[in-house]
Amino acid sequence: MNDADKKRLLREMILYRRFEDRSFEAYMERKIGGFLHLYSGQEAVATGVLEMAVVGQGRKNDYVITGYRDHIHAIKTGTDPKAVMAELYGKETGCSKGRGGSMHIFDASQNFMGGYALVGQPFPLAAGLAMGAKHQKTNQIAICFLGDGANNQGTFHETMNMASIWNLPVLFVCENNQYAIGTRIDRSTAVTDQYRRVEAYNMKSSQHDGMDIDIVMAAAKDAIDYVRKESKPYFIEFMTYRFRGHSMSDAKGYRTREEEAEWEKRDPIKIYSRRLVEEGIITPEDIKAMEKEVDDYIENEVIKFAEESPEPKVEELTRYVLDDNPDPRWIGPLQQ
Amino acid sequence: MAETAYWEAIRRAHDEEMANDELVIAMGEDIGVAGGTYKATLGLYDKYGEERVIDTPISENSYTGIGIGASMTGMRPIIEIMSINFALLALDTLINAAAKIRYMSGGQIACPIVMRTPGGTAHQLAAQHSARLARMFMSTSGLRVVTPRGPLDAYGMLKSAVRCNDPVIIIEHEQMYNLKEDIPDEEFFRPLEGAEVVREGSDITLIGYNFSVHLCLQAAKRLEGDGISAEVIDLRALKPIDRETIRRSVEKTHHAVVAEEDEAPVGVGAEIITGIIEDCFFALDSQPVRVHAADVPVPYNATLEKAAIPDANDVYQGALKALGKI
Ligand SMILES: Cc1ncc(C[n+]2csc(CCOP(=O)(O)OP(=O)(O)O)c2C)c(N)n1
Ligand SMILES: [Mg+2]
């Protein structure tokens, strides 16, 4: 990875943090409604893993799927941040045409196969994406990002078993931020090291620091190579922390300020910035300028686009429920 | 034309669709090596291999979800659920995912899966193997629900379901798998929408779907002996419902009976009669009648079971009631 790439990665993580911060503000201004789950603190995971995957190349991309904390995964996969922000605003220009919202970011043009609100539901969908890719011999893999809490769903066990017996090329990325809303992992989960849980399904797995993007990238590269070359599933766990509440209404009464402060010292953006400065790749002043450039971009392009975009038309309320142009041979009506 | 059993018709549709398109796969418990609980995939494992006729573990929600995920990449999975009771385990991926992905994605991603499952009572299978549940699927936007009453539709609707771009639930019936009918030798398709007038009549309309169409036909025969001419409609599709065909018939006969094998509350009959009231209330000469199961879990005991589930006599009595004859 050359210096330019390293700078690009730093800029991406800064963009992701600022994107979420700005979404928070827009939510407070009531421009965004519903549930909003922010990714701040966990940036190194999606950025590092997807840096090692095929992304940003349209329909050639690997398939990516995740839960409701999905904005950043979509952007890193190749979705335009403007289309994501417009979706949060519920606009027709949003990547899901305003029909999905924050928890349901979709972008088929980049093989970003969605954000889902039902905890654990993406596990089988991801295995199915992998099955489709394997069947069609496309050499793509599926990458499924989910939280630690999701592993207590039945779909986790059912899917790990099937992915393993059928040798499906799927990478399960567990973003272990140690909480499921307000429940700390050791209060809900008998085995807190998540990577150990798939050993029962004869699946390869490992656990890594999720705050240091270099560690994430190295681990993800090995895992992705394995999944693609062997056509087998792999479960990779990253230890991380979400800096904000679970969603917007969360007083975080379930964790201590000391614990938060400890993790904030390990802010993935700070770790990486410091490293690049130490390596002489970038100066603190450059970083300041970078932050300014990102803020301007978000304000003048991303937010502007979302603000100025049109709402969906009420006359189009019932579009997209079923195929809007069905073939009369299969659909009817019945000729009597 | 060849006389074909219901299960053979389904098997033939699988075979032709799998031969026609590499992207068609079948999934389910015991459908591969064992050939399927209802023989719907008999011999296809040998013909198409284990990657296309997939024996799944007993993990309904997740193998349905895997089928859905595969369909999002362009595959066309036909998923067999051994009994509609077990489909309850798959409701999350079916209703929360398959039925909603097209909409949530603003029309970008289709989920062209087919889920086939028998939904009805057989003989003394007791409460946990006798669910019908059509009403649950027919009330979910984003799904298509069809109920083939015989081999013709079982074949032709499965073929259409595989080709159509929406998730389709096909509700079959344990008591119909051996039902025989002549069906054409050459390939054909039957649409996934549209009710069918399966018997013409002028005095009363009997409306059924799935197995209850046969109860309506038997009742119509008996009514004929009483000098009453009954029209019988097979709904064929429960989502969407063809209200036009029902309206036309009721405007002609002025009396309506709906026969459903399920319990009445929030059910097929409730929906159909609401439609009649909305569409042609003033054509009615009497209150419409619902013939339905008793509001109990299906009992094991044969006598109790018979008392709980409607039969042709119940439909006959329902018709007499609607006509003011009892
Ligand atoms: C099936 C289901 N049950 C409950 C919820 C409510 N819920 C939303 S997020 C969440 C916690 C999930 O925690 P985790 O998987 O660790 O993800 P994180 O939010 O930490 O990223 C819960 C319980 C849900 N959305 N879906
Ligand atoms: Mg968590």
Side-chain angles (χ1 to χ4, degrees):
Chain A
M1 182 164 282
N2 63 32
D3 291 358
D5 281 331
K6 290 181 182 175
K7 278 195 232 177
R8 172 179 56 77
L9 278 183
L10 178 62
R11 181 187 175 279
E12 285 177 9
M13 287 203 288
I14 291 172
L15 170 68
Y16 302 155
R17 179 72 54 87
R18 299 292 172 124
F19 184 95
E20 297 290 64
D21 289 347
R22 191 60 185 81
S23 307
F24 180 90
E25 284 171 31
Y27 189 88
M28 289 306 171
E29 296 164 11
R30 296 182 180 271
K31 298 277 172 64
I32 298 174
F35 287 130
L36 182 70
H37 308 82
L38 303 178
Y39 195 57
S40 309
Q42 302 183 201
E43 293 90 347
V45 181
T47 315
V49 170
L50 292 174
E51 181 69 19
M52 297 294 113
V54 180
V55 295
Q57 299 183 35
R59 300 294 327 219
K60 289 204 198 102
N61 282 358
D62 289 326
Y63 290 106
V64 179
I65 190 166
T66 186
Y68 41 81
R69 207 178 292 288
D70 56 353
H71 317 155
I72 302 311
H73 302 79
I75 296 174
K76 180 66 185 170
T77 303
T79 305
D80 187 336
K82 294 202 282 290
V84 177
M85 188 60 83
E87 189 58 35
L88 304 190
Y89 273 63
K91 297 296 181 75
E92 181 70 22
T93 54
C95 53
S96 308
K97 299 203 168 67
R99 268 66 166 185
S102 161
M103 298 188 286
H104 307 302
I105 301 295
F106 282 85
D107 184 357
S109 73
Q110 294 288 345
N111 287 345
F112 186 77
M113 304 312 265
Y116 297 82
L118 276 290
V119 169
Q121 190 179 70
F123 285 127
L125 300 181
L129 296 169
M131 181 190 268
K134 182 174 183 179
H135 197 93
Q136 293 167 71
K137 302 190 170 62
T138 61
N139 204 33
Q140 289 158 298
I141 68 168
I143 304 179
C144 175
F145 291 87
L146 282 178
D148 46 294
N151 300 343
N152 290 331
Q153 278 283 337
T155 47
F156 169 83
H157 299 276
E158 295 183 339
T159 304
M160 294 308 135
N161 181 50
M162 284 184 274
S164 188
I165 57 172
W166 294 337
N167 295 322
L168 299 179
V170 50
L171 176 67
F172 297 103
V173 182
C174 176
E175 304 199 44
N176 188 347
N177 60 15
Q178 300 142 82
Y179 288 87
I181 310 186
T183 303
R184 205 178 55 223
I185 187 166
D186 56 282
R187 297 183 56 238
S188 65
T189 309
V191 175
T192 53
D193 283 330
Q194 297 304 296
Y195 76 103
R196 285 180 51 208
R197 299 178 79 181
V198 302
E199 287 167 8
Y201 301 107
N202 201 17
M203 191 185 297
K204 274 188 107 174
S205 65
S206 54
Q207 183 188 57
H208 312 270
D209 177 6
M211 302 307 261
D212 183 333
I213 192 170
D214 284 325
I215 295 176
V216 174
M217 286 192 290
K221 182 177 189 315
D222 291 345
I224 288 173
D225 283 350
Y226 170 84
V227 170
R228 207 182 306 275
K229 291 205 184 98
E230 307 285 323
S231 186
K232 281 191 182 152
Y234 191 102
F235 183 96
I236 195 163
E237 175 183 12
F238 291 106
M239 302 308 294
T240 183
Y241 204 74
R242 70 170 149 67
F243 289 172
R244 290 187 177 274
H246 170 74
S247 60
M248 287 300 101
S249 56
D250 179 357
K252 297 187 285 183
Y254 47 83
R255 61 191 202 190
T256 64
R257 300 295 86 90
E258 292 73 42
E259 179 185 292
E260 290 179 0
E262 275 312 302
W263 278 95
E264 272 156 27
K265 283 187 208 151
R266 309 215 58 248
D267 182 330
I269 297 177
K270 284 189 200 147
I271 291 179
Y272 201 53
S273 304
R274 218 179 295 131
R275 184 168 306 141
L276 297 200
V277 170
E278 274 163 23
E279 287 176 9
I281 293 168
I282 201 165
T283 66
E285 293 70 45
D286 293 340
I287 296 176
K288 283 255 146 47
M290 194 181 259
E291 287 168 348
K292 170 90 178 52
E293 177 268 314
V294 164
D295 283 343
D296 290 347
Y297 164 69
I298 289 178
E299 213 50 49
N300 302 335
E301 297 196 38
V302 176
I303 291 289
K304 184 166 190 285
F305 178 77
E307 296 267 355
E308 290 175 359
S309 288
E311 297 270 329
K313 295 197 192 78
V314 174
E315 306 86 80
E316 300 199 338
L317 173 67
T318 57
R319 269 184 87 178
Y320 313 129
V321 177
L322 295 170
D323 186 352
D324 290 309
N325 297 300
D327 187 324
R329 282 175 298 173
W330 335 129
I331 299 304
L334 188 72
Q335 306 297 334
Q336 293 208 44
Chain B
M1 286 290 199
E3 192 180 62
T4 307
Y6 196 99
W7 70 266
E8 290 172 313
I10 299 170
R11 191 201 160 280
R12 179 180 151 196
H14 271 94
D15 192 7
E16 289 177 9
E17 289 306 296
M18 293 187 72
N20 172 63
D21 183 355
E22 275 278 320
L23 298 175
V24 179
I25 57 174
M27 308 173 68
E29 295 160 35
D30 278 318
I31 70 155
V33 174
T37 310
Y38 313 103
K39 299 186 282 192
T41 46
L42 193 68
L44 302 184
Y45 179 89
D46 292 332
K47 190 163 174 187
Y48 298 104
E50 63 175 3
E51 305 245 303
R52 292 187 66 200
V53 181
I54 303 169
D55 275 317
T56 64
I58 310 158
S59 309
E60 288 80 6
N61 196 29
S62 297
Y63 68 68
T64 301
I66 289 176
I68 295 164
S71 79
M72 293 164 75
T73 74
M75 307 284 295
R76 302 217 161 226
I78 307 171
I79 302 165
E80 176 175 295
I81 305 264
M82 211 180 258
S83 150
I84 204 165
N85 297 264
F86 316 150
L88 284 172
L89 277 300
L91 288 188
D92 173 50
T93 47
L94 266 176
I95 294 184
N96 283 321
K100 298 181 171 56
I101 285 172
R102 181 191 287 276
Y103 200 83
M104 293 194 298
S105 68
Q108 294 179 82
I109 299 172
C111 296
I113 59 147
V114 181
M115 191 190 97
R116 302 176 29 248
T117 185
T121 57
H123 295 293
Q124 288 196 272
L125 299 187
Q128 293 190 326
H129 280 82
S130 303
R132 289 124 298 169
L133 296 178
R135 57 195 165 139
M136 187 163 47
F137 295 112
M138 70 187 278
S139 63
T140 301
S141 35
L143 296 179
R144 291 183 172 278
V145 183
V146 298
T147 52
R149 72 168 183 280
L152 193 79
D153 265 348
Y155 165 86
M157 287 175 114
L158 175 52
K159 287 184 62 93
S160 294
V162 170
R163 307 232 179 169
C164 134
N165 295 324
D166 303 316
V168 182
I169 313 279
I170 303 183
I171 302 179
E172 301 165 358
H173 199 289
E174 297 223 26
Q175 292 189 56
M176 296 199 303
Y177 285 114
N178 288 316
L179 205 94
K180 292 195 171 80
E181 189 176 26
D182 279 340
I183 69 173
D185 299 324
E186 55 283 358
E187 178 178 58
F188 66 95
F189 297 86
R190 297 272 292 169
L192 303 174
E193 288 182 3
E196 185 175 12
V197 177
V198 290
R199 184 188 204 275
E200 294 207 22
S202 51
D203 298 332
I204 187 164
T205 304
L206 309 180
I207 302 163
Y209 61 96
N210 198 325
F211 190 58
S212 75
V213 178
H214 300 283
L215 305 181
C216 292
L217 286 167
Q218 287 166 40
K221 236 192 184 143
R222 207 168 141 198
L223 289 165
E224 192 178 284
D226 298 343
I228 297 164
S229 158
E231 178 143 301
V232 176
I233 293 179
D234 175 6
L235 292 172
R236 294 182 70 255
L238 296 180
K239 185 150 191 82
I241 288 171
D242 172 7
R243 286 166 54 154
E244 190 50 28
T245 299
I246 299 169
R247 184 188 60 77
R248 245 183 282 125
S249 178
V250 173
E251 282 181 346
K252 176 171 70 172
T253 66
H254 311 292
H255 301 276
V257 173
V258 186
E260 61 190 311
E261 201 181 312
D262 209 346
E263 292 146 38
V266 204
V268 180
E271 181 59 30
I272 298 299
I273 290 173
T274 303
I276 291 173
I277 289 169
E278 287 176 339
D279 295 346
C280 53
F281 179 74
F282 293 105
L284 287 169
D285 282 348
S286 67
Q287 292 154 346
V289 170
R290 279 191 283 183
V291 175
H292 55 84
D295 201 355
V296 295
V298 177
Y300 163 71
N301 173 277
T303 310
L304 292 181
E305 181 184 49
K306 195 168 161 354
I309 304 303
D311 59 15
N313 182 50
D314 293 319
V315 181
Y316 173 72
Q317 299 292 335
L320 294 184
K321 189 175 159 205
L323 291 165
K325 305 214 184 260
I326 46 171

